[in-house]
Amino acid sequence: MSAKIRGSLLILLATAIGVMFIVPLIWMVTISLKTDIEAFLPDLSFIPKEPTMINYIEALRGGDLDVPIIRWIFNSLIVSTVGTVLVLTIDALAAYGLARLDVPFRKALISLFLSTMMIPGIVWFVPQYILFQDLHLIGTYAAFFLPATAGVFGVFLLYQFFLGYPAEIEEAAYMDGANKWQIFVRMFLPASKSILWTLAVITFMGIFNDYIWPYYVSGGDEDMLTLTAGIAVMTHGSYVNYPNKLMALSVIATLPILIVFLLAQKSIVKGIIHSGIK
């Protein structure tokens, strides 16, 4: 098989995969612009006959149950943002310590950290919930984002990069009088900016899209739900018979993730290249 034919097949395969992902999104937007009557028609029309924005207005108002949609959006944004900042801070410090400092039992710690990546997250669910319950954190914002800070993916990602950082540059900085903190802040962090952006987007998306954990740790308080958890509630509540309004709410929930990804797209590509992920 020639290189030209192989390239054409890869393009066709990529196009087919792209269509598989984009068609549901287009259908979601289409349904969100339809009226109540048109949304229940059996035809698969991708163009609404009478496009309307009323579904978005009613979705933001909370539907028939008058639920706090705006509060849910605020909860999702604040939890995702704070969680992302904490993850970047903790993971960068841990990775720098393991990669460049003389940490006792470093190899054993790295092996221990990596072994936790093999354990499915659902296994931690009940013990983690009991721990937060004993700490009286259920129903607080801390319960939403603290579990994300225990992940080791970011530590491993940054560890690989820091480990390959030229030792000569670091030694030259020490000779110029810089201390470990100055080297970390002024050299390692700027050099790993692309990887940090990649980790930030992945973390933000993971926290923002999670709905099972926020649903349970909200403590039954409707005002403490995140947007994704709130949508799950709405599917069994006021929107159970209104798919167009539910799709409008889903579009609203998708926008922050889409905006974050588009803004950091170039940095994500650079981060993947620098980290050696293929």
Side-chain angles (χ1 to χ4, degrees), residues 96 100-102 170 174 178-185:
Y96 175 71
R100 312 302 296 196
L101 302 182
D102 187 17
E170 187 179 8
Y174 279 125
N179 55 38
K180 291 182 174 62
W181 177 253
Q182 291 173 328
I183 291 176
F184 170 69
V185 173

Side-chain angles (χ1 to χ4, degrees), residues 99-266:
R100 312 302 296 196
L101 302 182
D102 187 17
V103 178
F105 310 107
R106 182 174 64 177
K107 292 184 178 180
L109 287 174
I110 294 173
S111 299
L112 181 63
F113 289 161
L114 292 179
S115 65
T116 61
M117 297 179 65
M118 309 301 173
I119 303 175
I122 195 65
V123 174
W124 303 98
F125 191 91
V126 175
Q128 195 167 251
Y129 182 88
I130 295 175
L131 173 62
F132 278 85
Q133 190 176 46
D134 292 340
L135 294 174
H136 304 289
L137 293 177
I138 299 298
T140 66
Y141 284 118
F144 289 90
F145 56 75
L146 282 180
T149 61
V152 297
F153 171 76
V155 176
F156 179 69
L157 194 67
L158 290 165
Y159 169 79
Q160 292 294 327
F161 178 80
F162 290 161
L163 198 63
Y165 194 85
E168 296 80 7
I169 300 178
E170 187 179 8
E171 291 174 359
Y174 279 125
M175 292 179 64
D176 288 340
N179 55 38
K180 291 182 174 62
W181 177 253
Q182 291 173 328
I183 291 176
F184 170 69
V185 173
R186 298 180 182 179
M187 294 175 57
F188 281 83
L189 288 185
S192 60
K193 182 174 65 175
S194 297
I195 299 179
L196 288 172
W197 267 109
T198 303
L199 179 60
V201 173
I202 293 174
T203 304
F204 186 92
M205 292 174 62
I207 298 176
F208 191 94
N209 289 331
D210 189 18
Y211 77 92
I212 297 179
W213 177 255
Y215 178 80
Y216 283 97
V217 299
S218 63
D221 186 356
E222 194 176 69
D223 288 337
M224 288 300 296
L225 289 173
T226 58
L227 184 56
T228 48
I231 291 176
V233 173
M234 297 291 278
T235 57
H236 302 287
S238 61
Y239 286 176
V240 66
N241 294 319
Y242 297 97
N244 49 342
K245 295 177 176 59
L246 182 61
M247 291 301 103
L249 191 56
S250 299
V251 171
I252 294 173
T254 305
L255 287 178
I257 297 297
L258 184 61
I259 293 172
V260 169
F261 179 79
L262 292 177
L263 291 176
Q265 186 177 9
K266 292 183 179 180

